[in-house]
Every structure is written in C-alpha cells, then in structure tokens.
Amino acid sequence: MPRGYVALVLHAHLPYVRDTEDDFSLAEKWFHEAVTETYIPLIHVCQRLNRDRVSYKLTLSLSPPLTAMMADNLVREHYRRYLERLRELAAREVWRTRNDPRFNLVARMYQDLFENIYRTYLAYGGNLINAFRELQDSGNVEIITCAATHGYLPLIGLQREVVRAQVEVAVNNHRRLFGRPPAGLWLPECAYNPGDDVILKDYGIKYFFVDAHGLLYATPRPRYSIFAPVYTPAGVAAFGRDLESSEQVWSAQEGYPGDFDYREFYRDIGYDLDYEYIKPYIHPSGLRVDTGLKYYRITGKSNYKEPYVPEWASFKAHTHAGNFLFNREHQINYLADYMDRPPLIVCPYDAELFGHWWFEGPQFLESLFRQVAGLAHQPFTFITPSEYLERFPVNQPATPCMSSWGNNGYNEVWLEGSNDWIYRHLHHAADEMIRLANQYRDAGGLLLRALNQAARELLVAQSSDWAFIMKTGTMVDYAVQRTKKHLLNFWELTRSVKNNDLDPEKIQALEDANNIFPDINYRVFASR
C-alpha cells in the first residue's frame, strides 16, 4: 500500500456568456482566453502523458455553463474567428521582431502555441467536449460536474426546490454530454450548507469538496483532520482542502506563480504597441485589450520588466514541480506516523490558474506527474476521490459546518453591501417558479416552451458570478445588467403564462438568445 495519496482537483468554470449580436464581446472573450490559455493546453498535457504511458490521475470539474459554451455552435464560431486573428497577429509579430532575438524567440513560441491549439480545435470539430470525453474514457481523468449555473447554494437555496433544481439540471446535463452520471459535484465556491448533502445523495453524487475549516469544525471533529474524507449524515463523502499545498500555489507572496522568471500577466502588446498596428486585434471600438501576447517576465515588484525567457521559465516550472513533490512527500511521511491509514492530500485549484493567470502552470502539472512517475520508489500515489472511496469505503460520519473557500471562509464575498440586493429578487422569482411548476404539471406546446425558458432565465440569474463581480468591482455594470436582464425575462414569461397571452415570437427570441440546457424540464422546480 502506498505511503499516502495526492488528489489533484481542477475546477473549470466561467459564467454563461453567449452574445448573438457582438462578434467581439468583451465578456465572451473570457471564454476565448481560457480555451486558448488553459483548457486546450490542459488537454495537450493529458494527451502527452497518455501517449507516453505516464501514470497520473486528475480530477476535473467542468461546470455546466462552461460545457454549454463549449458545445454551442455560435460560441464555437466566435472562438474560431478569435483564434484566427490570434494566429495572424502571431505571424505578424514574428516578422516585426525579426531583428530582436530576445522578442523574436517569444513571438515564435506564441506562433507555435497558437498553431498547435488551432490544429487541436479543428481535430475535434471545435467541440472540446469530445476531447474531454476522450480523456475521461482513457481512465486517467475523472470528470465531475458543478451546480447547474454555479449558484451559491447557501444563499439562493432558501427553498429546497432551488438546490434540487441546480443539482438535477447539472447531473442531467453531465450525463447527456459525457455518457455517464457524475460521481462527484463541485459545490460552487466550495460553499456547503448542512442538509444539501441529502439532495446530492438523491442524485447519486458520491462526494464533494469543502474548504479546510468545513471539516475542521465538523461535528463531531474528524479523527483524521482534513487528511481523510468524512461521510455526511446522508452518506455523501466530504473531502477537505489541504492548507499547505494551497498556500504553495495560491499565495501572492509565497506561491510559485510569483517567481520572477515567470511570464508577467499584466504586460501585453495590446497596450504596448502602436495603435494603428494593433488596432485590428483589439476591440473594434478602439478599446485596448489583452491580446494574449506578453513579452516580459515578472522580473521584480517594480514596473521595470525584463524580456521573457521561455527556457528559464520552463526550468522554474520543473523546479517548482520538484519542490511540490518534495513537500508532499515530507508532509505524507509526517502524517503517516500519526494515522492508521495512508493520509490523503486534497489539492483543489481553479483550473484557470494553470495557463491563464500562471502561463507555465500546465508545464508545472506535466512535470509533476512525470517526476513522480519516474521515481523508482514513489513517495505517494495520485488518486481520484472515487478511487479513494473504493479503497477506503469506511469513513467517519460527521456533519461539515457551513463554509466556503471565499475570503474569510464563509458567505461575505457573495453577501455584502454591493450585492445583497439581488437575493430578495432571486428568492421572489424562485417562489413564482416553484408555484408555476406545481400548478402546471403537464404543460405542452407553447406553454411548455415558456415554462422551460423561464427556468433557464432563473437559473442563469442565480449564477454566483454576478455577485462576485459586483463585490470585486470589475465589470460591475455588466454583472448588474445580466442579473436584471434574466430576471426581467423571467417575469415577462411568467406574466404571459398567468395571463394566457403567450407570444411565440418573443418566446422564440429568448430561446435563441439564452439557449443553455436545451433539454431542460421546468418540472425540476416542482415540489417533491
């Protein structure tokens, strides 16, 4: 039996953005950047490991809004055009920098990267769901889901029907896309509300994750702290986030991504180069935006930056992967002396950290898996939560406390002065949706379409992203507008239902604009 286990968990999520009118939507650009810098590079990492028969295990949470965008033809077409502009810009940059070897080396790196991404995108017909499903079927990647629209369940779940709808829609969506039900569910923001485990159990969910204090303050206190899961009263396993490994990656002061040799995220040619030259590759309005081509390394804490050296950064990624391995080995060896089973280190991160925010993050992951696999005596074994529960089916019963992984560990990020106004509207709309779902048990035709679209509008309004954006102060107007827009759409639909004056053209327009969850059934909001 291994001395210990490490579970690497990446949570991939973006808010649902589908702009039918703007071919260069700033909000949709979040998706474009994440696909280019995180999702396809992660696919490449796993494909290379599979090709070389390197032993590894990775748990990947793909949120339903993200998979909806990956599968949507319009969003995919917008991304293809974005990527073609990026390829053109990279080719021009190789020519522009031809007389400066420092920058020309980086420009060629980007050109190779974008060409490889383009080939992969075309190989899967633009549908990355097929790529992730292929990785799932390889047996090395466990793909799990998240609540339907990443709703912050402790705050929107005043009515149990809301939590049930968020879970049921997510599970059905996952089964449709990946051909099997999800074993686990990533609670949005790792926000656990005691009692939600009953609903997770009803839909076959075997495990979820909480932040460390969610287990440390569980009742009763866990015998193994955060180094083994507990079973909730409903029998669902709760895994706790490890504090030490999180600090080494996430910390702004001590984390690996802050190394001075890594690429500087905040220095982009979209702001640096002559306006007329860069104009075709920024927003059509003339607004300068990130292009993804960044030529400098972090260098230091001042504004002075030195050119990026890919070889140095790759070496640091390899070195940091070795350091991560070293620290997990010593952590496991220490814990193993106090436990009568192999300790489990759960390392959950936002997937977008790897590649988007930390450009070298995918290299770090690949090097970590290869270094561990290459050791004659492996210090630990990578494992998925499902595999762990198969090996250790007996675990302590306990009730985790209400918690999240947000600032200060509870609800304050999503419930404070900038965003608290949204919840009375969300609760009021949920009451109406539940009432209509109970009243119209057997709707058909136009009434069925109207109720289904009302359910979609409410679910998207419940996304935790809007409250988070209001709190952080980035694109606040957009987040407010999205919340109000979906709620207004919801009330227009429900008023038409009650007044029996349904307009086919209006319903069709809303279905075309907000088409998330094509197979949704409004009855998910009905009382059970």
Side-chain angles (χ1 to χ4, degrees):
M1 183 176 291
R3 184 78 165 160
Y5 299 97
V6 171
L8 271 175
V9 184
L10 301 185
H11 173 52
H13 166 68
L14 290 173
Y16 179 70
V17 177
R18 180 179 183 271
D19 200 317
T20 57
E21 299 178 357
D22 188 353
D23 190 29
F24 203 114
S25 163
L26 288 175
E28 204 171 287
K29 192 172 183 289
W30 298 335
F31 176 77
H32 300 161
E33 292 175 343
V35 170
T36 306
E37 298 167 359
T38 293
Y39 307 141
I40 293 182
L42 285 176
I43 290 170
H44 287 164
V45 166
C46 294
Q47 288 176 335
R48 287 191 295 268
L49 294 172
N50 289 340
R51 178 199 65 199
D52 297 340
R53 298 183 179 181
V54 175
S55 176
Y56 74 99
K57 293 291 180 180
L58 178 66
T59 303
L60 181 61
S61 162
L62 297 177
S63 76
L66 177 59
T67 58
M69 290 187 288
M70 287 181 178
D72 185 88
N73 288 331
L74 179 64
V75 177
R76 284 156 52 178
E77 175 61 19
H78 286 175
Y79 176 70
R80 184 187 64 79
R81 296 176 196 169
Y82 168 85
L83 190 53
E84 288 178 349
R85 288 194 297 269
L86 208 53
R87 292 170 62 223
E88 179 184 292
L89 176 59
R92 291 189 65 186
E93 280 298 283
V94 169
W95 175 254
R96 185 185 68 84
T97 61
R98 65 192 182 280
N99 295 322
D100 190 330
R102 302 171 304 166
F103 294 127
N104 188 251
L105 176 68
V106 182
R108 291 184 181 277
M109 176 197 73
Y110 284 123
Q111 185 178 43
D112 291 343
L113 174 64
F114 299 152
E115 292 301 322
N116 286 336
I117 287 170
Y118 189 65
R119 283 193 290 270
T120 297
Y121 194 68
L122 293 184
Y124 290 99
N127 190 346
L128 296 183
I129 298 296
N130 295 332
F132 285 113
R133 186 165 178 168
E134 185 180 278
L135 294 177
Q136 167 194 262
D137 295 343
S138 75
N140 293 315
V141 179
E142 178 164 68
I143 297 180
I144 63 174
T145 191
C146 179
T149 53
H150 214 263
Y152 193 87
L153 300 183
L155 298 181
I156 67 169
L158 186 65
Q159 309 94 332
R160 292 289 81 192
E161 291 90 344
V162 168
V163 178
R164 187 173 293 277
Q166 284 273 347
V167 173
E168 182 172 334
V169 171
V171 170
N172 291 342
N173 180 74
H174 188 94
R175 185 186 291 109
R176 176 175 62 87
L177 293 176
F178 295 100
R180 65 180 71 170
L185 185 141
W186 179 279
L187 295 173
E189 318 299 352
C190 286
Y192 176 69
N193 188 28
D196 288 351
D197 54 309
V198 175
I199 295 174
L200 298 180
K201 179 72 172 181
D202 288 345
Y203 290 95
I205 299 299
K206 296 180 174 61
Y207 66 85
F208 60 91
F209 303 94
V210 294
D211 206 347
H213 59 287
L215 280 197
L216 293 175
Y217 299 140
T219 305
R221 299 288 285 274
R223 177 183 180 187
Y224 299 121
S225 183
I226 58 175
F227 304 110
V230 301
Y231 281 133
T232 69
V236 184
F239 289 84
R241 177 167 72 147
D242 174 58
L243 295 169
E244 185 177 324
S245 58
S246 295
E247 183 78 6
Q248 287 163 358
V249 174
W250 277 116
S251 172
Q253 288 75 37
E254 303 169 21
Y256 302 135
D259 187 276
F260 291 170
D261 283 334
Y262 286 144
R263 191 188 72 165
E264 172 60 68
F265 177 83
Y266 296 101
R267 185 77 181 271
D268 189 281
I269 66 170
Y271 302 93
D272 284 352
L273 296 188
D274 178 75
Y275 175 76
E276 290 302 322
Y277 174 85
I278 205 67
K279 182 179 178 180
Y281 310 103
I282 57 176
H283 195 270
S285 68
L287 178 69
R288 288 181 179 262
V289 296
D290 282 14
T291 64
L293 278 76
K294 307 170 193 292
Y295 285 110
Y296 293 91
R297 54 193 176 96
I298 294 173
T299 310
K301 296 182 179 181
S302 71
N303 291 329
Y304 174 76
K305 304 297 175 185
E306 291 282 351
Y308 181 67
V309 183
E311 184 179 358
W312 294 1
S314 295
F315 177 77
K316 282 295 178 67
H318 180 78
T319 301
H320 287 147
N323 179 261
F324 189 90
L325 187 165
F326 173 84
N327 286 322
R328 298 293 74 72
E329 178 181 10
H330 281 265
Q331 186 180 14
I332 285 170
N333 286 338
Y334 173 80
L335 293 168
D337 291 338
Y338 295 93
M339 295 176 62
D340 56 9
R341 65 160 73 180
L344 170 68
I345 310 298
V346 178
C347 308
Y349 308 103
D350 278 336
E352 292 76 22
L353 169 68
F354 296 87
H356 177 60
W357 297 106
W358 179 18
F359 181 68
E360 298 79 10
Q363 296 180 54
F364 167 87
L365 290 175
E366 182 171 355
S367 180
L368 175 62
F369 287 129
R370 289 184 183 275
Q371 288 188 53
V372 173
L375 294 174
H377 173 70
Q378 293 193 351
F380 53 80
T381 297
F382 288 108
I383 197 169
T384 66
S386 290
E387 291 172 331
Y388 183 91
L389 294 175
E390 288 175 4
R391 297 187 189 187
F392 301 95
V394 178
N395 292 284
Q396 179 182 344
T399 301
C401 73
M402 180 183 281
S403 55
S404 82
W405 75 348
N407 186 46
N408 291 328
Y410 295 97
N411 297 338
E412 69 177 52
V413 171
W414 298 272
L415 182 65
E416 52 89 53
S418 67
N419 54 33
D420 55 5
W421 61 271
I422 69 174
Y423 294 103
R424 62 185 181 274
H425 300 289
L426 294 177
H427 295 156
H428 184 35
D431 281 336
E432 182 67 5
M433 188 72 240
I434 294 165
R435 189 188 68 78
L436 292 174
N438 289 327
Q439 179 180 353
Y440 298 99
R441 291 278 183 168
D442 300 305
L446 198 58
L447 176 60
L448 173 64
R449 290 171 57 191
L451 290 171
N452 283 344
Q453 190 59 35
R456 292 188 186 99
E457 301 289 348
L458 175 57
L459 286 169
V460 177
Q462 291 172 338
S463 169
S464 71
D465 301 281
W466 315 135
F468 181 80
I469 292 171
M470 293 174 204
K471 163 65 176 176
T472 57
T474 59
M475 294 185 72
V476 172
D477 290 344
Y478 178 78
V480 171
Q481 181 261 336
R482 284 294 300 271
T483 303
K484 291 181 177 180
K485 174 184 176 182
H486 293 294
L487 286 171
L488 287 170
N489 290 344
F490 171 84
W491 286 113
E492 182 176 352
L493 286 162
T494 55
R495 277 194 295 268
S496 296
V497 168
K498 289 187 290 186
N499 295 334
N500 195 25
D501 62 349
L502 296 172
D503 185 333
E505 293 184 1
K506 288 183 178 179
I507 293 173
Q508 183 66 56
L510 289 175
E511 288 174 333
D512 291 342
N514 302 314
N515 66 347
I516 192 171
F517 309 133
D519 59 349
I520 196 172
N521 188 322
Y522 72 93
R523 298 175 185 87
V524 296
F525 282 98
S527 302
R528 309 295 166 91

